[in-house]
Amino acid sequence: MAKFANVDDYLAALPEGLREVATALRPIVNAALPSAIEAMYHGSPTWSAGEAVGKNLVCLVKAYSSYVTFALWKGQLVDDESGRLEASAREMAHVKLRSVEDIDADLFTGWLKQARDLEAPAGAR
């Protein structure tokens, strides 16, 4: 995928089904992380709890050919009673989203708040 200047451009370039999923996920992330920095970082939309892009990363959204990955940087440390989070590299965990129906706003909000608290300085929560 090409380099994009911002998250809007990234989402606009996605195929319709993937764009629908990523676009539905974005306001959930923004609502759960109101003080986070939303930006493109290493080619994917990311949300950072730090003072700059790429600092204290909380989550990312990345589209593949048939699904969108929603990943938490320290997701393996997040309490996930649903069992939906899959372990990734290092401390990351992710969930693959193939349709809007795969998004559970309440569940994802809980994950995001836990992940934010693992990353954010106390004053930024």
Side-chain angles (χ1 to χ4, degrees):
M1 193 171 258
K3 290 185 179 181
F4 297 98
N6 57 53
V7 176
D8 289 330
D9 291 348
Y10 179 91
L11 296 176
L14 295 176
E16 184 178 349
L18 299 177
R19 182 174 55 247
E20 183 180 5
V21 172
T23 299
L25 184 58
R26 187 182 191 188
I28 295 166
V29 175
N30 286 329
L33 306 174
S35 61
I37 299 169
E38 176 192 83
M40 295 300 294
Y41 182 70
H42 289 283
S44 299
T46 61
W47 285 260
S48 303
E51 296 178 7
V53 173
K55 300 293 182 187
N56 302 98
L57 290 160
V58 176
C59 68
L60 69 85
V61 172
K62 184 171 183 168
Y64 291 89
S65 61
S66 62
Y67 60 88
V68 172
T69 293
F70 171 53
L72 303 168
W73 248 264
K74 292 190 177 176
Q76 291 181 39
L77 303 177
V78 167
D79 180 33
D80 174 33
E81 293 182 16
S82 74
R84 288 187 60 192
L85 283 174
E86 298 178 39
S88 303
R90 300 184 187 107
E91 295 177 315
M92 291 184 84
H94 69 276
V95 62
K96 294 176 183 175
L97 308 170
R98 290 179 171 78
S99 72
V100 173
E101 289 76 30
D102 292 336
I103 299 171
D104 181 330
D106 292 336
L107 178 63
F108 290 16
T109 296
W111 291 344
L112 286 161
K113 289 180 178 181
Q114 288 181 65
R116 174 207 58 206
D117 291 348
L118 292 167
E119 294 292 350
R125 294 184 193 146

